[in-house]
């Protein structure tokens, strides 16, 4: 560090101390590396004719029937033998949970087939269990979430396919984790990619730390210079 030739040792020391204080102040208060953060989100439209079944099975309304699945035993029997009428006294929802529970659709990955589950009371007091083959679109409509339940940012996202915002969209992370389908104006969507452009927190912390160390070093060096100048004046 060079100083003006006319500067006295004491003034040089004060200048170094002032620089050190400035760097420490910058490290503590300055928004280092700050730029306007931008979040970019994308959605993917899913056609009923595409391989979308993996998303539908994440819905609480869809039961995926694979080999040896206990919940599918009664469903598979009805699927193989046709509608089944059971007297009300014999209806045991613990054994027929798929029909009595929250499931509305059964999906068989092996056959790529969808069925609507029916559990209907008859006039004679008995209960009919049956399956209705349904199309991919109908199954998607049952399984998909309603876009109206999402925040307003999602409405723009479904309309344009891509949206940029300065703040993260609430609910995006949850949607990404659940992989569920969303229906918007008769079309179906799944979450696509997302990207963040903004300050790098780790780099900012590193830069801030280096600035603070440099400032502390100048403070110590300036203090040493001041003590030396004081001894010379004695």
């Amino acid at each position: 560090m060079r100083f003006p030739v006319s500067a006295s040792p004491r003034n040089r020391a004060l200048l170094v101390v002032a620089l050190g204080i400035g760097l420490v102040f910058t490290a503590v208060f300055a928004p280092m590396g700050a730029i306007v953060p931008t979040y970019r989100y994308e959605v993917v439209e899913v056609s009923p004719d595409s391989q979308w079944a993996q998303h539908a099975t994440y819905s609480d309304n869809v039961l995926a029937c694979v080999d040896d699945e206990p919940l599918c035993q009664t469903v598979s029997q009805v699927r193989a033998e046709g509608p089944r009428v059971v007297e009300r006294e014999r209806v045991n929802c613990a054994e027929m949970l798929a029909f009595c529970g929250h499931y509305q659709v059964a999906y068989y990955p092996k056959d790529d087939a969808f069925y609507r589950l029916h559990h209907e009371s008859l006039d004679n007091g008995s209960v009919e269990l049956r399956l209705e083959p349904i199309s991919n679109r109908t199954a998607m409509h049952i399984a998909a979430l309603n876009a109206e339940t999402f925040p307003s940012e999602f409405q723009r996202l479904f309309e344009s396919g891509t949206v940029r915002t300065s703040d993260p969209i609430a609910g995006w992370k949850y949607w990404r984790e659940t992989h569920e389908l969303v229906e918007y104006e008769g079309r179906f969507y799944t979450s696509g990619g997302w990207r963040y452009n903004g300050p790098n927190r780790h780099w900012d912390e590193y830069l801030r730390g280096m600035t603070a160390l440099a400032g502390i070093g100048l403070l110590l060096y300036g203090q040493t210079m001041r003590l030396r100048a004081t001894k010379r004046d004695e």
Side-chain angles (χ1 to χ4, degrees):
M1 179 179 294
R2 296 185 177 182
F3 300 94
V5 177
S6 58
S8 65
R10 185 180 297 277
N11 290 337
R12 293 177 183 177
L14 292 175
L15 179 59
V16 171
V17 170
L19 289 175
I21 293 174
L23 288 177
V24 173
F25 183 87
T26 299
V28 175
F29 298 104
M32 293 187 175
I35 62 175
V36 178
T38 301
Y39 298 85
R40 184 176 185 271
Y41 299 93
E42 296 179 351
V43 294
V44 178
E45 183 176 351
V46 179
S47 168
D49 299 325
S50 64
Q51 296 296 325
W52 68 276
Q54 59 179 336
H55 296 285
T57 56
Y58 289 112
S59 171
D60 293 336
N61 295 324
V62 178
L63 172 64
C65 289
V66 295
D67 295 339
D68 301 325
E69 174 59 52
L71 287 175
C72 294
Q73 291 181 359
T74 305
V75 178
S76 297
Q77 289 176 2
V78 175
R79 178 172 180 253
E81 303 171 3
R84 177 179 174 184
V85 178
V86 182
E87 295 180 2
R88 184 176 298 277
E89 291 76 12
R90 295 178 56 191
V91 172
N92 186 345
C93 282
E95 297 177 359
M96 302 177 184
L97 185 61
F99 285 96
C100 301
H102 301 291
Y103 297 108
Q104 298 182 42
V105 173
Y107 172 63
Y108 283 81
K110 184 177 181 180
D111 302 326
D112 193 23
F114 296 88
Y115 301 86
R116 193 199 305 263
L117 280 65
H118 292 276
H119 177 273
E120 298 181 359
S121 299
L122 304 179
D123 294 337
N124 59 6
S126 58
V127 175
E128 182 186 51
L129 308 178
R130 63 186 175 89
L131 298 180
E132 174 193 357
I134 57 177
S135 65
N136 286 4
R137 175 172 289 278
T138 300
M140 291 173 71
H141 175 71
I142 296 173
L145 301 175
N146 192 327
E148 294 181 355
T149 62
F150 281 65
S152 59
E153 292 87 353
F154 280 94
Q155 312 302 318
R156 295 188 291 118
L157 183 59
F158 295 135
E159 291 174 358
S160 62
T162 303
V163 69
R164 290 180 174 83
T165 177
S166 58
D167 297 311
I169 295 180
W172 175 267
K173 184 177 180 181
Y174 173 78
W175 188 30
R176 289 272 295 182
E177 292 175 349
T178 59
H179 304 290
E180 292 191 88
L181 294 171
V182 174
E183 183 175 1
Y184 180 75
E185 295 186 348
R187 298 175 181 270
F188 302 94
Y189 300 88
T190 184
S191 58
W194 75 285
R195 185 171 60 190
Y196 168 74
N197 293 322
N200 186 308
R201 182 177 179 182
H202 295 293
W203 171 251
D204 290 349
E205 291 178 351
Y206 173 78
L207 181 60
R208 195 178 297 276
M210 293 300 296
T211 303
L213 289 176
I216 293 173
L218 287 178
L219 285 174
L220 294 175
Y221 180 61
Q223 183 67 9
T224 301
M225 292 178 61
R226 191 182 69 80
L227 292 175
R228 290 177 180 175
T230 300
K231 290 182 178 181
R232 290 176 182 175
D233 294 339
E234 292 178 352

